[in-house]
Amino acid sequence: GDSVTQMEGPVTLSEEAFLTINCTYTATGYPSLFWYVQYPGEGLQLLLKATKADDKGSNKGFEATYRKETTSFHLEKGSVQVSDSAVYFCALYNQGGKLIFGQGTELSVKP
Amino acid sequence: EAGVAQSPRYKIIEKRQSVAFWCNPISGHATLYWYQQILGQGPKLLIQFQNNGVVDDSQLPKDRFSAERLKGVDSTLKIQPAKLEDSAVYLCASSLGTASVEQFFGPGTRLTVL
């Protein structure tokens, strides 16, 4: 079945460091891809999305590019802040209309 | 625009007790979803409604879980009787329709079963 695999956390970085969170997927056809963020005590918020190959989603300094050839959608940010500390989920929306999530990656940014 | 509302935010019960969660989706959203998020895992779909009809409940443990959306607006998810492994965050989400890619999530209800 369709699935999403994320790099394991927790990831601990110093403020202003470069962030990469890896995400790969398995799916039939061409799913839409998402990154959601979950701040402590809050629900999931959509961070960015890409709906077709080579699309780049971006928001709040975060970026991810839909790479069909490597079935990947890695999340990047050039300079993280303490306020970026959260759990990040990669997800795909498949042909059957289902949203399938990875296991989440916890990010902790230290001042 | 108001987001997806859920209550209660936290609930602690003993095993074999029953519990109910409530969700009010974004106004005008026809599709409503209930997800279960176990600690350290991503959310997993339990049930999906389109208006007041069930679209998909294949992952709902029907021997103990039930859900309804009688008037096609708010929804209730019930667990009876609860087991220890039901401890999780229960997330409600809504979207404009079944073909809508983007889902909007509520804050969730954290259930602890002792």
Side-chain angles (χ1 to χ4, degrees), chain A residues 1-94:
Chain A
D2 297 343
S3 65
V4 176
T5 302
Q6 293 180 232
M7 67 186 283
E8 296 223 357
V11 173
T12 303
L13 296 174
S14 297
E15 210 165 20
E16 299 184 3
F18 184 86
L19 168 71
T20 300
I21 300 179
N22 290 338
C23 170
T24 57
Y25 68 89
T26 302
T28 305
Y30 304 102
S32 294
L33 301 174
F34 304 84
W35 277 100
Y36 281 85
V37 58
Q38 189 172 36
Y39 298 104
E42 298 184 17
L44 291 166
Q45 299 175 26
L46 179 64
L47 180 60
L48 53 85
K49 66 181 179 184
T51 57
K52 60 183 188 297
D54 299 327
D55 266 3
K56 178 186 283 189
S58 61
N59 186 25
K60 299 181 181 180
F62 291 89
E63 293 183 339
T65 301
Y66 189 143
R67 301 285 187 201
K68 175 173 165 289
E69 63 277 11
T70 54
T71 62
S72 65
F73 193 56
H74 304 321
L75 182 68
E76 296 181 337
K77 186 175 186 183
S79 176
V80 293
Q81 305 300 311
V82 172
S83 57
D84 294 326
S85 297
V87 181
Y88 292 82
F89 291 91
C90 185
L92 67 84
Y93 186 86
N94 68 7

Side-chain angles (χ1 to χ4, degrees), chain B residues 21-95:
Chain B
F21 314 127
W22 175 82
C23 171
N24 193 30
I26 293 173
S27 178
H29 280 196
T31 308
L32 184 147
Y33 311 80
W34 283 102
Y35 289 84
Q36 181 190 58
Q37 184 181 10
I38 292 172
L39 186 65
Q41 299 181 19
K44 290 184 170 56
L45 181 69
L46 290 174
I47 188 167
Q48 176 183 345
F49 291 94
Q50 173 71 10
N51 296 312
N52 61 352
V54 174
V55 174
D56 183 356
D57 63 357
S58 58
Q59 300 302 307
L60 188 74
K62 298 181 189 63
D63 58 334
R64 297 184 300 106
F65 286 64
S66 64
E68 59 185 16
R69 193 184 184 199
L70 293 176
K71 296 181 180 177
V73 180
D74 56 348
S75 174
T76 303
L77 176 70
K78 296 179 182 176
I79 308 175
Q80 182 180 5
K83 292 185 175 182
L84 296 177
E85 58 261 36
D86 298 332
S87 293
V89 176
Y90 291 85
L91 294 166
C92 180
S94 69
S95 67

